[in-house]
Amino acid sequence: MGRIIGVANQKGGVGKTTSAINVAASLAVLEFKTLLVDADPQANSTTGVGFDLHNITSSLYNCMVDNIKASDVVLKTEMPHLDILPSHADLVGAELEMINYPNRENVMKNLLKEVKDQYDFIIIDCSPSLGLITVNALVASDSVCIPVQCEFFALEGLGKLLNTIKIIQSRLNPELEIEGILMTMYDGRLRLCNQVVSEVRRHFDEMVFSTIIHRNTRLSEAPSMGKPVILYDADSKGAINYLNLAKEILQRNNMTRMSQEEKIIQ
């Protein structure tokens, strides 16, 4: 049974899509079968793993509005073990079309049920808003990963999102956990970055991932090539950061696979 992790923050520009793509790719490199669900109408996760939107005939929109099966829409990426459920600009209209649906908050949960057993992990890239599609993603998720940029207003948006998560936990998905808060766009040369990391750790303690994502040129360049950073430059700081994050997620979920040699050494 796959673990579904939503990557969410209603604040734009915090590294949400970058994190969704690269966590999914890193889990795939570690040979965990992973599905990346692009639940953002901007469809950056779809293009970020190498697909041209002009060639996408069916997307998450068709699953949510037209009841097309998720398995009929899922595409294989160039990476072994990594598939994607693509997005499309049409998804913007889905919120209006679903407004009168009974159980409209459960549409994504129901469509992912069909494919959940086929994957070890399903990573959902949420849109940068707290609308119906994001609510659907959080209702479908087992846990939520929250990317937070190392900047002055970091904590401001975080409080609002945590409040939304509490409402969803109390009314729609009592099983929803916080996978962790992920500090992104870190620059060790800036005193402000270090202050923000200290403050977030002081407020949220163990909820904050040990792994920090550094500002990295290769990480910024990779999406324009339609590749996760681990395919674009496996030795870059960004690739190593996200691989470490994937390992930390596996540890938190007691899913680490040890080789026989590692067991003997321990």
Side-chain angles (χ1 to χ4, degrees), residues 176-193:
L176 183 65
E177 301 170 352
I178 292 176
E179 190 71 38
I181 294 167
L182 175 66
M183 304 305 299
T184 64
M185 303 184 193
Y186 174 79
D187 185 340
R189 298 167 299 178
L190 301 178
R191 186 188 296 169
L192 176 65
C193 281

Side-chain angles (χ1 to χ4, degrees), residues 88-257:
H88 193 274
D90 290 347
L91 196 59
V92 169
E95 300 206 355
L96 285 174
E97 294 185 56
M98 289 164 59
I99 208 80
N100 294 318
Y101 279 25
N103 297 322
R104 60 177 183 258
E105 296 89 0
N106 290 289
V107 175
M108 196 181 298
K109 181 179 184 177
N110 293 333
L111 74 90
L112 290 178
K113 260 183 201 167
E114 177 224 340
V115 294
K116 196 173 180 182
D117 289 345
Q118 298 167 30
Y119 295 96
D120 298 305
F121 285 95
I122 297 176
I123 308 293
I124 307 176
D125 179 19
C126 301
S127 63
S129 71
L130 293 177
L132 184 56
I133 302 294
T134 299
V135 169
N136 258 266
L138 294 177
V139 171
S141 296
D142 298 306
S143 63
V144 56
C145 170
I146 306 168
V148 175
Q149 189 178 350
C150 296
E151 52 134 55
F152 186 69
F153 293 113
L155 287 171
E156 198 175 80
L158 191 53
K160 194 174 177 186
L161 179 62
L162 291 171
N163 196 39
T164 302
I165 290 168
K166 272 185 192 162
I167 292 166
I168 286 169
Q169 285 168 329
S170 64
R171 298 181 192 172
L172 296 165
N173 183 4
E175 309 296 314
L176 183 65
E177 301 170 352
I178 292 176
E179 190 71 38
I181 294 167
L182 175 66
M183 304 305 299
T184 64
M185 303 184 193
Y186 174 79
D187 185 340
R189 298 167 299 178
L190 301 178
R191 186 188 296 169
L192 176 65
C193 281
N194 292 301
Q195 286 173 341
V196 170
V197 170
S198 299
E199 196 171 339
V200 172
R201 286 201 195 285
R202 187 166 56 81
H203 271 80
F204 299 104
D205 195 25
E206 287 179 5
M207 279 166 62
V208 186
F209 284 111
S210 301
T211 307
I212 293 176
I213 309 301
H214 292 69
R215 277 194 185 278
N216 180 246
T217 309
R218 308 303 268 170
L219 199 51
S220 308
E221 290 170 354
S224 63
M225 299 296 172
K227 292 178 186 291
V229 71
I230 205 155
L231 278 189
Y232 182 60
D233 185 350
D235 296 323
S236 66
K237 188 95 173 169
I240 292 161
N241 285 166
Y242 277 109
L243 203 51
N244 287 337
L245 177 62
K247 288 173 182 173
E248 193 174 343
I249 288 170
L250 292 170
Q251 282 171 348
R252 288 188 176 208
N253 290 289
N254 299 315
M255 289 176 73
T256 45
R257 293 173 180 163

